[in-house]
Amino acid sequence: MADSTGHDGAPTPGQDPPANRYGSLPAWRAVDDYFVRSLVAEDEVLAAARESGRSTTMPGAEVTPNQGALLGLIAQLAGARRVLELGTLAGYSTIWLARAVGETGRVVTLELEETNAAIALTNLERAGLADRVDVVRGPAAESARRLVEAGTEPFDLVFIDADKPSNPRYLEAALRLTSPGAVIVIDNVVRDGAVIDADSDDPRVRGVRQVVEDIAGNPELDATAVQTVGVKGWDGFIVARRRSAGSASGA
Ligand code: DHB
Ligand code: MG
């Protein structure tokens, strides 16, 4: 392939810009570029946040502009006033979510790494959104447990995008921190197709497969998963919704 990244996502030392570390085909990137140029207004605040992603502990792992816009739209479609995010990184998706909840809304975002939390805070301040976002430092499972113990007001939308082995625990936390009608989105559930390997000993794959099983076995949840291709390669996300009280078919 002509580009600097193998389809397995293995980076070529010294040659891989962040957007290319995920085994992304040139055509996928060209289509992402087209839609982002045409439909997604990434202003300088978002562009700066994306750029700062290079300095995080996971360069280039930020959602793409069109994925960020989708998160914002999902938050708006759900009428979300309160959003919980697990995995802040540079705060790029946090900005999309914080804009979507509006001035009176609130985003709580959980981040393990101090480096990333500091970068995210700078980005949120630059975006003028720091007053509606709480960046909570520490392991997301512990931070979520503290929110449960504190009797935190339920969230309308939870975006799970932290360490993948812990996805099942994060779903549990999301269920404790939401009410019927809430939406739960989980990032990175395809990972180049690895998700279908039932015998995988990769803890990230196992974390995704377990959360899929947990969702499937939970009669309270309506859910689907959608594959994506683009600048971050071949991946996908789950969208789930807690069934509203009294509805038999997910209405
Ligand atoms: C990884 C994590 C992410 O949340 C993502 O969107 C892409 C990659 C990772 O663990 O490598
Ligand atoms: Mg992700």
Side-chain angles (χ1 to χ4, degrees):
M1 129 172 19
D3 94 87
S4 65
T5 312
H7 184 60
D8 61 356
T12 307
Q15 276 187 37
D16 53 314
N20 287 0
R21 67 182 272 254
Y22 294 100
S24 170
L25 298 179
W28 299 350
R29 294 200 296 277
V31 173
D32 257 3
D33 287 347
Y34 165 68
F35 283 129
V36 169
R37 258 189 287 115
S38 307
L39 297 174
V40 180
E42 196 186 51
D43 59 17
E44 68 253 27
V45 164
L46 283 165
R50 160 171 313 293
E51 179 63 25
S52 75
R54 290 167 179 261
S55 310
T56 65
T57 55
M58 292 174 52
E62 243 67 49
V63 300
T64 61
N66 41 345
Q67 290 168 349
L70 178 62
L71 286 173
L73 284 164
I74 289 172
Q76 287 176 324
L77 289 166
R81 312 304 306 153
R82 291 178 52 76
V83 174
L84 174 65
E85 177 178 63
L86 293 87
T88 313
L89 217 51
Y92 181 79
S93 48
T94 322
I95 292 175
W96 281 103
L97 292 166
R99 285 178 172 175
V101 298
E103 267 178 40
T104 58
R106 189 114 213 117
V107 177
V108 178
T109 183
L110 315 181
E111 174 57 46
L112 173 65
E113 303 286 350
E114 180 58 39
T115 312
N116 303 343
I119 291 169
L121 257 187
T122 302
N123 288 326
L124 291 162
E125 273 157 17
R126 192 194 289 119
L129 295 166
D131 59 339
R132 68 179 85 155
V133 180
D134 293 321
V135 180
V136 181
R137 295 157 161 85
E142 276 178 36
S143 300
R145 184 166 42 77
R146 275 197 295 276
L147 290 173
V148 173
E149 285 166 4
T152 304
E153 191 185 331
F155 293 94
D156 308 302
L157 169 67
V158 180
F159 178 45
I160 299 177
D161 192 20
D163 62 297
K164 313 311 170 190
S166 301
N167 273 339
R169 279 204 289 166
Y170 296 153
L171 175 68
E172 262 180 56
L175 292 171
R176 291 209 181 90
L177 288 163
T178 55
S179 306
V183 175
I184 299 168
V185 179
I186 308 177
D187 197 24
N188 312 116
V189 299
V190 175
R191 306 305 288 269
D192 284 308
V195 67
I196 61 170
D197 182 0
D199 300 322
S200 174
D201 51 16
D202 181 334
R204 295 168 302 180
V205 173
R206 295 172 72 92
V208 172
R209 288 184 61 87
Q210 185 61 52
V211 86
V212 167
E213 204 177 299
D214 293 348
I215 291 169
N218 188 332
E220 252 197 86
L221 292 172
D222 294 311
T224 189
V226 176
Q227 301 186 67
T228 56
V229 295
V231 298
K232 283 179 69 184
W234 176 24
D235 214 329
F237 54 89
I238 286 173
V239 179
R241 179 178 178 270
R242 287 189 69 168
R243 211 166 266 192
S244 300
S247 83
S249 60

